[in-house]
Amino acid sequence: MRRPMPSSIRASACSPLQRLQAAFRLASDAWRRSDLRSSPSPSSSSSASQTPWLIDPPPDWLDTEALTALMLTLPGADGRPAQWQVAVRDGIPLRAVPPQWRWPGLSEPVPLVRVRAPRARAQSLAPELRPCARPGMVGTATAVMRSADGGQSRLLTCAHVAIPSMEGAFGAEVDITHADAVGRATVMDWRPAPSAGPAHCTMDAAVLAIDDGLARDLRRDGAWLPTGVGGPPLADMAVTLRSHRYIQPGVLKVFWSGPVDVPGLTPGQTDYFLDQAIGYCCASRGGDSGSAIWDAQDRLMGMHLAGLDGVPAGEPNAIYGPIAPVLDTFKLRPWLRSGEVAQVDVAGASTVVTRGTTGGATRTGSAPSAGGALSEAEIVACTLWGEARNQGEEGLRAVACVIANRWRTVYRRQRSAQDVCLDPYQFSCWLKNDPNLPRMLAVARQPDATYRTALALADELLSRTLVDITRGARHYYATSLRQPPNWARGKYPCVVIGDHLFFNDIA
């Protein structure tokens, strides 16, 4: 049964571009799930079935065997309307894709521009980073980083360069050579995370631990350090690719979503499905994976991930991943040419606003001391009950995923699920002036059926077995709100579950 689109996405509060971007993201999600279902992994279908289909069934033309990419042109300063392009594999007639697609979230059908483009292939041949477990695989570092929580020295690059397989390897060693600096790093964290079948991800990144001495040596050559962190991408924006071997000019073109193949990893199969990337024109070559993408002011925009071979002149032939989600996920700050660390507001002051009863306008008070009388599982269960008791099990699970994602990423420096739930002004059910607070605390003493379901989900969360159905979301709000909260302006949801819109691109 097709899930109806929330009225908030169709509402006038959303611009035509935002609605088109939402349709693009949901179509990408449906295609990604179709790719998962076609994977030979025996557990892929079960994994996909645990996540709700937002476009169910997906349109016939979203066929993993026929398409190579979905592309949506970036917003331009000249006001040109966005254009949706569907890249069709060689040998498949263009007429296999309809000229337009009707989606219930838009008042008019979406025109589909059908083009030819090959699948993305990751590039890893440059002589700067050499993973010890993969002889012959080499790539490029993006930037020298410092961890936001403890100040440790880090180096950033692509995951497919640094890790020995898509399952990764904590502690894998990587040799580093840059000018007079030579050293060895170890893999600390990476995305995409291990999954059944092709991983779905919004980044291809690995964090390498390096000692402070090597970090100083790498920073000594300030010419390869950025001046800051750039802003949002725009159509026809001039950028440069900063490889260890050369500097190549480029021009931004489209939002990009599609499968990526890493040479030699799993021949004939999709290695991961990349979403929310940027397609651009640049003469990249093998070995450029991990290279920094800078804007005209030498500010860090992202990291180069893959190239597209054989595309017509003027069409996007390279892909990069935006840097902001990487800094946010791994809690990193880049060292700058000035000798300082970039002051990026990762934690921010954004607030989770959920139930329309508080509306986000009269929030006063903080997490009550009553929470201290409950166990961690009970605090999580109370939060799920207070935030989503009328949303069914799926809605309860979605809120649990937000708590898990905040806990996993140490968002706002909260290091436990309990701390995430009781973080002041974050979950409105814990506010002292919320009229439902006494009811929520009472239900923990006399559980109803919904609370028992919430408690079971809390056990999954605390045992780290909870399956994320929100695509990494850490923020959401209820469609019953009269106006979206300030932090949601200019953003569009990554997934819609029940009466809640979820977001995974809020700092």
Side-chain angles (χ1 to χ4, degrees):
M1 178 177 179
R2 185 184 299 272
R3 181 188 301 277
M5 262 309 110
S7 59
S8 59
I9 292 184
R10 300 193 299 269
S12 58
C14 293
S15 68
L17 176 60
Q18 287 175 317
R19 293 195 292 272
L20 190 61
Q21 289 174 332
F24 178 79
R25 181 170 288 185
L26 296 181
S28 298
D29 183 75
W31 182 28
R32 192 265 304 187
R33 299 187 195 288
S34 175
D35 196 36
L36 265 179
R37 288 186 171 186
S38 66
S39 170
S41 172
S43 55
S44 296
S45 59
S46 61
S47 174
S49 66
Q50 297 182 56
T51 306
W53 282 71
L54 297 180
I55 302 174
D56 191 4
D60 293 339
W61 55 270
L62 278 177
D63 185 350
T64 187
E65 298 300 325
L67 306 185
T68 59
L70 298 178
M71 296 176 284
L72 178 66
T73 53
L74 295 168
D78 56 2
R80 288 178 298 174
Q83 184 184 78
W84 195 334
Q85 299 177 350
V86 180
V88 182
R89 187 191 299 271
D90 287 338
I92 303 296
L94 293 179
R95 64 177 180 273
V97 176
Q100 61 184 21
W101 174 46
R102 293 189 177 274
W103 179 63
L106 297 174
S107 58
E108 297 181 355
V110 179
L112 302 177
V113 179
R114 296 160 290 187
V115 298
R116 297 286 186 191
R119 284 170 67 103
R121 288 179 58 83
Q123 298 172 310
S124 304
L125 294 177
E128 184 169 355
L129 300 183
R130 297 179 179 271
C132 300
R134 299 176 68 190
M137 174 65 75
V138 289
T140 302
T142 308
V144 182
M145 298 281 178
R146 189 173 74 179
S147 63
D149 51 359
Q152 294 90 352
S153 297
R154 300 286 186 257
L155 196 65
L156 185 66
T157 189
C158 284
H160 74 259
V161 169
I163 61 177
S165 71
M166 295 313 292
E167 285 71 38
F170 180 82
E173 295 184 328
V174 180
D175 285 333
I176 304 168
T177 304
H178 180 71
D180 296 330
V182 178
R184 178 164 291 185
T186 56
V187 175
M188 298 296 296
D189 202 353
W190 64 90
R191 299 289 186 280
S195 65
H200 171 236
C201 57
T202 56
M203 64 187 74
D204 174 352
V207 180
L208 312 181
I210 57 176
D211 61 56
D212 292 340
L214 178 58
R216 286 192 296 270
D217 291 343
L218 293 172
R219 288 163 41 211
R220 190 176 297 121
D221 179 12
W224 82 286
L225 300 179
T227 61
V229 177
L234 296 174
D236 299 323
M237 176 186 288
V239 296
T240 52
L241 177 147
R242 319 293 292 198
S243 171
H244 177 69
R245 301 167 300 173
Y246 48 64
I247 298 173
Q248 289 283 11
V251 178
L252 306 191
K253 290 296 183 181
V254 298
F255 292 110
W256 193 94
S257 174
V260 178
D261 299 328
V262 179
L265 198 58
T266 53
Q269 297 182 23
T270 296
D271 289 303
Y272 64 90
F273 192 100
L274 182 64
D275 198 4
Q276 303 177 41
I278 303 298
Y280 69 113
C281 295
C282 182
S284 63
R285 301 206 310 265
D288 291 343
S289 287
S291 296
I293 305 299
W294 289 0
D295 64 12
Q297 288 75 47
D298 290 354
R299 297 177 302 183
L300 181 60
M301 296 283 291
M303 63 165 66
H304 176 80
L305 303 181
L308 300 169
D309 298 327
V311 300
E315 296 296 323
N317 59 1
I319 304 162
Y320 84 78
I323 196 63
V326 177
L327 301 180
D328 189 12
T329 297
F330 298 114
K331 298 295 181 291
L332 298 174
R333 304 291 191 276
W335 280 97
L336 304 180
R337 195 176 304 168
S338 63
E340 300 176 344
V341 176
Q343 298 301 310
V344 182
D345 184 13
V346 173
S350 50
T351 302
V352 175
V353 182
T354 56
R355 300 185 60 79
T357 52
T358 63
T362 59
R363 296 190 299 274
T364 59
S366 60
S369 59
L374 303 173
S375 69
E376 185 170 34
E378 289 170 332
I379 290 174
V380 172
C382 281
T383 307
L384 303 184
W385 188 93
E387 298 287 321
R389 61 183 175 274
N390 63 345
Q391 298 297 303
E393 181 177 353
E394 183 178 80
L396 293 168
R397 182 178 293 274
V399 174
C401 291
V402 170
I403 297 171
N405 290 331
R406 286 188 164 213
W407 177 26
R408 175 179 57 81
T409 60
V410 199
Y411 188 69
R412 290 173 54 89
R413 300 178 183 268
Q414 303 306 312
R415 299 183 180 277
S416 70
Q418 171 179 311
D419 291 343
V420 168
C421 293
L422 299 181
D423 192 11
Y425 306 106
Q426 296 303 294
F427 292 90
S428 59
C429 64
W430 288 106
L431 297 177
K432 289 181 178 179
N433 67 338
D434 191 314
N436 292 304
L437 177 60
R439 294 179 57 199
M440 181 182 73
L441 297 177
V443 80
R445 295 188 294 269
Q446 294 181 330
D448 59 14
T450 301
Y451 181 84
R452 286 191 289 270
T453 299
L455 195 58
L457 290 170
D459 289 338
E460 288 186 39
L461 188 158
L462 295 175
S463 64
R464 300 182 185 270
T465 60
L466 183 72
V467 175
D468 188 2
I469 65 173
T470 67
R471 301 176 66 187
R474 296 190 311 201
H475 294 76
Y476 64 99
Y477 70 88
T479 60
S480 57
L481 290 181
R482 294 180 180 180
Q483 293 183 342
N486 290 337
W487 56 258
R489 292 177 181 175
K491 305 292 184 177
Y492 51 96
C494 61
V495 68
V496 182
I497 300 176
D499 296 330
H500 287 148
L501 279 64
F502 293 80
F503 300 78
N504 61 7
D505 55 355
I506 309 297

